[in-house]
Amino acid sequence: MTNERIIQAAFTILDSHGVTGLSMRRLGAALHVEAASLYHHIPNKSILIQKVVDAVSTKAVVTTECLKPWTQTFRHFATNYRNVLRMHPGAVPLVATHSVSAEVSEALALPLIASMEKSDNQEWALFVIQSIAVFVIGHALAEVGNWPDPPTAPLSYYDEWFEIGLSALINGFEQQFNENRGGI
């Protein structure tokens, strides 16, 4: 029994039954163990949820070989994060309502900040990152928030909505970045 195996089983439950279907008892049954034995690996459901949120978010980390200009790196991050969330629709409400751990948050932010070479304002860069992440999570929640019920509109609708919103955000931040030489 490993944490990775437990988290993968949690994803399977979330993706088939949604957030309300995730329990330590159901997780134990999926792993063919008593729920009590899970507590040797995961002390409580809150920690399980934290591990799920971190596992989803870790998959969205962009590589250190950032695209140029920084706007492409941020677009890549947003698109990748959306795709990761769509792979685990049952986990989206958890990601929307629980913070990512400090370690995962740092791993997400550092390559994005590094892509903004001219920026001398890290706080502004963090606001940009958080704004884009919240947009992606909110959009994913709008798309799959009733999971396991199917989305209410066709995928093409959500794709177009995402692209319009993401472009508006990135274009607006790019304008601020250029006007204020790397942040406000």
Side-chain angles (χ1 to χ4, degrees), residues 23-35:
S23 69
M24 295 303 269
R25 184 179 310 245
R26 183 172 272 165
L27 184 58
L31 294 165
H32 308 291
V33 299
E34 293 294 322

Side-chain angles (χ1 to χ4, degrees), residues 72-93:
Q72 288 180 359
T73 301
F74 277 68
R75 180 173 288 285
H76 174 74
F77 160 70
T79 302
N80 186 47
Y81 200 15
R82 179 182 182 223
N83 290 336
V84 168
L85 292 171
R86 291 165 96 189
M87 287 188 313
H88 299 292
V92 172

Side-chain angles (χ1 to χ4, degrees), residues 3-38:
N3 277 350
E4 292 78 25
R5 187 169 168 232
I6 294 169
I7 300 307
Q8 189 55 49
F11 279 136
T12 300
I13 292 168
L14 287 164
D15 292 342
S16 59
H17 301 286
V19 172
T20 59
L22 181 63
S23 69
M24 295 303 269
R25 184 179 310 245
R26 183 172 272 165
L27 184 58
L31 294 165
H32 308 291
V33 299
E34 293 294 322
S37 67
L38 290 175

Side-chain angles (χ1 to χ4, degrees), residues 7 10-22 48-57 59-60 78-100 133-149 151 158 161-162:
I7 300 307
F11 279 136
T12 300
I13 292 168
L14 287 164
D15 292 342
S16 59
H17 301 286
V19 172
T20 59
L22 181 63
L48 173 65
I49 289 170
Q50 184 66 59
K51 289 185 178 293
V52 166
V53 168
D54 285 350
V56 169
S57 299
K59 293 178 182 181
T79 302
N80 186 47
Y81 200 15
R82 179 182 182 223
N83 290 336
V84 168
L85 292 171
R86 291 165 96 189
M87 287 188 313
H88 299 292
V92 172
L94 296 177
V95 174
T97 57
H98 294 80
S99 297
V100 176
V134 167
F135 167 75
V136 172
I137 293 166
H139 190 278
L141 190 59
E143 185 175 350
V144 301
N146 294 326
W147 196 260
D149 294 336
Y158 292 106
W161 179 16
F162 180 80

